[in-house]
Amino acid sequence: MTGVQTCALPICANFHKNTYPKLVKEYASKDLIKISFIDFPLDIAALNASKIVRCSAKESSILLIDEIYKNQNAWSAGDKIQEINKKLFLIANKFNLSDEKLSNCLKDQKLEEKILNDRIDGQKKYSINSTPTIIINEKKFEGNLTFENLSKEISKKLK
């Protein structure tokens, strides 16, 4: 079974902190489901956060995502994107990403196009119009998703 998560802030942060860990523990860690993330940035700050995560080492990317969601209120506030980027850099620096690497990452047009094209493809394929959106075996679930609701659907599919 494959699940796809598309996320932007802030409802996604709640999902990522409260529902996602339970899905991993109960299903993904037992190889019952596969979880894939599709970035769905709704603004330049979210796009830059997506780029930074994509520039991190694969093994630390989920930890960086955790940290970004955990601190979203602190880094996402600011009048200028430069302020927000500086706060994102401070978070990413904890994961051995240098300011130089992060600056290059934010300038990477191919990476930006990939993220934005993935968003467009996800929107076209699944008619995504809100975040988070979860796809379980091609069935779409939207809004403030709880573990209990998703678990019922997953359990049906696993039978």
Side-chain angles (χ1 to χ4, degrees), residues 13-24:
N14 182 51
F15 173 85
H16 191 79
K17 287 190 257 183
N18 299 312
T19 304
Y20 173 75
K22 293 176 186 174
L23 291 174
V24 169

Side-chain angles (χ1 to χ4, degrees), residues 40-57:
F40 203 82
L42 298 175
D43 59 28
I44 190 69
L47 176 61
N48 287 351
S50 295
K51 286 178 169 182
I52 286 171
V53 168
R54 297 264 187 119
C55 286
S56 67

Side-chain angles (χ1 to χ4, degrees), residues 2-17:
T2 299
V4 177
Q5 173 188 358
T6 63
C7 256
L9 301 173
I11 295 172
C12 291
N14 182 51
F15 173 85
H16 191 79
K17 287 190 257 183

